[in-house]
Amino acid sequence: MPHYLTRFIYRASGGVYTAYQVGTNLAVAIKQMDLDKQPKKDLIINEILVMRSSRHPNIVNYIDSFLYKNDLWVVMEYMEGGSLTDVVTANLMSEGQIAAVSRETAQGLEHLHRHGVIHRDIKSDNVLLSMQGDIKLSKYWFEQWEKFRHSINLPADFGFCAQISDPNHAKRTTMVGTPYWMAPEVVTRKEYGAKVDIWSLGIMAIGPNRLFWFVSRG
Amino acid sequence: MVEGEPPYLNQNPLKALYLIATTGTPKINNAESLSAIFKDYLAKCLEVDVEKRPDAAQLLQVNFIFLANYCSGD
């Protein structure tokens, strides 16, 4: 991978490496996949095309991919700052800071929703930070992957997302997500749409300890 | 994000689901300590009626979001 001859490469886990791009010094995560072991090669190509055509500053983006011998190497942004959970458990945030995080995450959601993607698992664990102060959504999931989630090795560690063909009309009923962050219409198994993510954004702004209150005293 | 406290995951998830379904919009602890525009933002996000809840584009026009412009360095 000539573009990513790295000054530092580290094997994190399961064929995922972190590295720095030569020249830009951008932190990247590189996922190695043995194509012989992938039953759905066409889906992987499809997913890469979707990721490549829908980049945004507030989501963890696809950067590039390479075929080397029989391995596919997929390069994604790597968020060195960790997750928002680390920040909220170690600090008290001001309303201005909460507003900044809310704005960045809402911009990422607006982008995903415009592309017909419902995230369905918005929570502070899935909001990642870069060392430059970027705030990005991770674990969005395109529809064509969903039914193969347990059988194939994904290019990115995306999760729990639904892509719907017509964002204005399509509705889903599957109960997916993390209980404390779920909107009432998901819990009660009604049809729901992209606004379930807005509810979870509100829960995120309240924070874990207030949820504790909500859960313990109703 | 208002306060950082220990995780809540030791609570029973089924009880949480029941309370979300029956309580609707969660009550905010010490709501009087929050600004009016923050409370307005929370009320809009946590609106049980999906029709009244803003979509992402509408949420970006809520006053609270513009508070982000004044937060550097605090």
Side-chain angles (χ1 to χ4, degrees), chain A residues 100-117:
Chain A
V101 173
S102 301
R103 181 183 64 187
E104 299 301 303
T105 46
Q107 285 169 353
L109 273 185
E110 193 275 326
H111 173 78
L112 288 178
H113 291 173
R114 196 154 25 82
H115 285 79
V117 176

Side-chain angles (χ1 to χ4, degrees), chain A residues 88 95 103 180-181 210, chain B residues 4 8 11 29 35 53 69:
Chain A
V88 298
E95 287 194 11
R103 181 183 64 187
Y180 305 91
W181 312 73
R210 291 179 189 264
Chain B
Y8 49 89
Q11 291 293 306
N29 205 7
S35 73
R53 196 185 308 155
N69 298 330

Side-chain angles (χ1 to χ4, degrees), chain A:
Chain A
M1 293 192 297
H3 299 68
Y4 295 91
L5 288 173
T6 52
R7 61 175 175 78
F8 170 68
I9 192 159
Y10 161 70
R11 184 164 187 147
S13 65
V16 179
Y17 300 82
T18 56
Y20 295 90
Q21 193 172 19
V22 170
T24 63
N25 216 32
L26 185 73
V28 297
I30 306 173
K31 184 155 187 168
Q32 178 188 14
M33 285 186 291
D34 183 348
L35 280 181
D36 283 342
K37 294 179 182 164
Q38 303 297 330
K40 303 284 177 187
K41 296 179 185 60
D42 52 332
L43 282 180
I44 290 172
I45 303 306
N46 193 1
E47 178 75 355
I48 285 173
L49 292 175
V50 173
M51 288 195 296
R52 194 176 64 182
S53 66
S54 53
R55 293 184 174 126
H56 187 270
N58 295 116
I59 65 175
V60 175
N61 287 298
Y62 164 87
I63 298 173
D64 212 340
S65 54
F66 302 88
L67 201 54
Y68 181 71
K69 293 182 180 169
N70 221 15
D71 284 345
L72 178 66
W73 298 74
V74 179
V75 185
M76 304 281 297
E77 290 173 329
Y78 178 64
M79 305 299 281
E80 292 182 284
S83 77
L84 181 63
T85 305
D86 303 330
V87 177
V88 298
T89 50
N91 302 282
L92 292 179
M93 292 174 69
S94 69
E95 287 194 11
Q97 290 166 330
I98 296 171
V101 173
S102 301
R103 181 183 64 187
E104 299 301 303
T105 46
Q107 285 169 353
L109 273 185
E110 193 275 326
H111 173 78
L112 288 178
H113 291 173
R114 196 154 25 82
H115 285 79
V117 176
I118 308 176
H119 188 291
R120 296 199 289 175
D121 201 17
I122 292 290
K123 54 179 176 175
S124 54
D125 303 294
N126 291 338
V127 175
L128 303 182
L129 314 168
S130 77
M131 299 307 276
Q132 289 74 42
D134 301 303
I135 299 171
K136 292 171 183 260
L137 297 174
S138 75
K139 301 209 174 169
Y140 47 95
W141 185 285
F142 295 98
E143 173 73 9
Q144 62 264 34
W145 285 99
E146 192 130 8
K147 50 185 175 289
F148 303 107
R149 194 158 63 210
H150 304 295
S151 59
I152 55 171
N153 196 7
L154 298 165
D157 292 318
F158 296 170
F160 301 147
C161 246
Q163 188 171 32
I164 45 188
S165 50
D166 182 349
N168 296 320
H169 295 100
K171 297 279 183 187
R172 331 204 98 242
T173 54
T174 341
M175 192 152 111
V176 172
T178 309
Y180 305 91
W181 312 73
M182 279 182 192
E185 67 266 28
V186 183
V187 174
T188 54
R189 310 301 296 267
K190 290 182 186 140
E191 285 191 329
Y192 62 83
K195 286 180 178 178
V196 298
D197 290 337
I198 304 298
W199 175 280
S200 304
L201 217 52
I203 297 291
M204 191 169 82
I206 296 175
N209 78 310
R210 291 179 189 264
L211 273 177
F212 183 91
W213 183 88
F214 165 52
V215 169
S216 58
R217 281 197 276 164

Side-chain angles (χ1 to χ4, degrees), chain B residues 53-73:
Chain B
R53 196 185 308 155
D55 62 26
Q58 291 162 340
L59 193 69
L60 286 166
Q61 299 305 316
V62 171
N63 280 339
F64 178 66
I65 291 296
F66 295 99
L67 199 62
N69 298 330
Y70 305 100
C71 78
S72 57

